[in-house]
Amino acid sequence: MAMAMAMAMEAAPAPVPLPLVLRFRNGEDRFALTDQPRQLPLGYAIDAPSIRSARTFGLLDEYARVHAQHARGGPGAVPDIAAWDRAFMEREVTDTDELHDLFMAASTLEMDGLSVLCAQKTADVVKKRTVEEVKALLGIADVGMTPEEELKLQHDNDAILCLR
Amino acid sequence: MDGLPAELCIKIFHLLDHQSLASAPQVCRKWNTLTSDDELWRRLFKDRWGADAAAFYAPEGSRSWKDVFIVQDRCDRYGL
């Protein structure tokens, strides 16, 4: 089931990302920040089918808060935001469903930094792994090709890598 | 992950090397289609052989950047 959200912008000093009030279909309010507030449609509901769980929303919220705090500086901010990013992805994104949901959510909300982290994590899964391993790891069961097509691609692949 | 829209898949593919991109088409039909993207292979070519070579070897007619990359890669390995 898709979730719809209404948003209200609040005043905040630039260049800190603006706070965002998200009102879920069930009437619950959440607060979040976004990297590119001006591109968000003001006051209109947007569809966010990828935010299917409180866990995904919680991750978006944590990421946004820590990055906003880091942008402000001060004693509470993490000293090394890149290291925090790596630790965050390692700690929180432990299965492909969560990776998928977070990637979709970050991209839908145009949180580019988080979207890039998700893309990189997926790319790291793909690199240096066989086709079968990639399918298994990313949960791709329906290849959508006939065995003949797969065989032809295998030949093409071998030709490119000069394996035969 | 097979539910990812095309633009997010392309984003991932730009982070891969040519060996991974070569085998990615076998993962599923959508990946087969998307990994042929000319911009992907043009960038890989330019990163590896430079902008001048990319301008010189730019594909004409119906040839693709992937084809050009493959030929150049073979030349590097076996000579002309």
Side-chain angles (χ1 to χ4, degrees):
Chain A
M1 178 186 112
M3 301 174 85
M5 299 183 295
M7 295 173 296
M9 306 303 294
E10 293 180 3
V16 178
L18 296 180
L20 186 67
V21 181
L22 305 176
R23 182 164 303 118
F24 289 88
R25 199 189 291 269
N26 65 3
E28 182 185 353
D29 283 352
R30 294 291 195 115
F31 293 84
L33 297 167
T34 175
D35 295 340
Q36 300 186 12
R38 282 173 292 182
Q39 292 187 28
L40 294 173
L42 297 181
Y44 291 95
I46 61 172
D47 194 43
S50 48
I51 307 186
R52 294 183 286 197
S53 68
R55 172 173 167 74
T56 301
F57 184 85
L59 294 183
L60 293 167
D61 188 43
E62 178 183 0
Y63 179 90
R65 288 179 188 280
V66 171
H67 274 248
Q69 188 178 37
H70 180 261
R72 283 193 299 268
V78 298
D80 185 347
I81 196 66
W84 184 88
D85 283 346
R86 286 191 295 273
F88 172 80
M89 294 300 286
E90 194 65 32
R91 177 180 77 243
E92 302 293 355
V93 185
T94 55
D95 64 89
T96 55
D97 285 339
E98 186 59 45
L99 177 55
H100 170 274
D101 287 355
L102 195 61
F103 196 7
M104 291 285 291
S107 301
T108 300
L109 294 175
E110 301 191 20
M111 296 170 67
D112 288 339
L114 182 53
S115 184
V116 168
L117 289 177
C118 293
Q120 186 64 67
K121 184 149 184 124
T122 310
D124 292 342
V125 166
V126 173
K127 277 178 187 169
K128 304 192 196 311
R129 284 195 161 91
T130 67
V131 170
E132 295 307 320
E133 284 169 338
V134 171
K135 287 180 194 173
L137 283 165
L138 298 184
I140 297 175
D142 179 17
V143 175
M145 294 182 287
T146 65
E148 289 74 29
E149 284 175 305
E150 286 193 70
L151 191 62
K152 180 186 181 301
L153 286 171
Q154 180 65 56
H155 282 299
D156 290 348
N157 183 30
D158 292 347
I160 293 171
L161 299 175
C162 291
L163 299 178
R164 65 177 66 189
Chain B
M1 297 295 276
D2 29 348
L4 283 181
E7 64 268 23
L8 295 192
C9 289
I10 291 285
K11 198 165 183 171
I12 296 166
F13 294 153
H14 274 286
L15 298 169
L16 297 176
D17 55 22
H18 77 275
Q19 281 103 346
S20 301
L21 278 178
S23 58
Q26 293 175 256
V27 170
C28 65
R29 180 181 290 278
K30 182 161 81 178
W31 283 36
N32 182 15
T33 304
L34 294 176
T35 50
S36 302
D37 185 65
D38 247 5
E39 178 58 27
L40 270 176
W41 289 94
R42 187 195 68 79
R43 186 182 296 196
L44 282 172
F45 188 103
K46 185 174 80 70
D47 288 347
R48 184 167 168 183
W49 290 292
D52 288 346
F56 183 81
Y57 288 107
E60 296 167 6
S62 59
R63 295 185 73 213
S64 69
W65 269 107
K66 183 176 178 180
D67 293 333
V68 173
F69 185 101
I70 291 167
V71 170
Q72 196 62 36
D73 183 63
R74 282 202 186 119
C75 289
D76 276 15
R77 280 189 266 181
Y78 302 115
L80 278 164

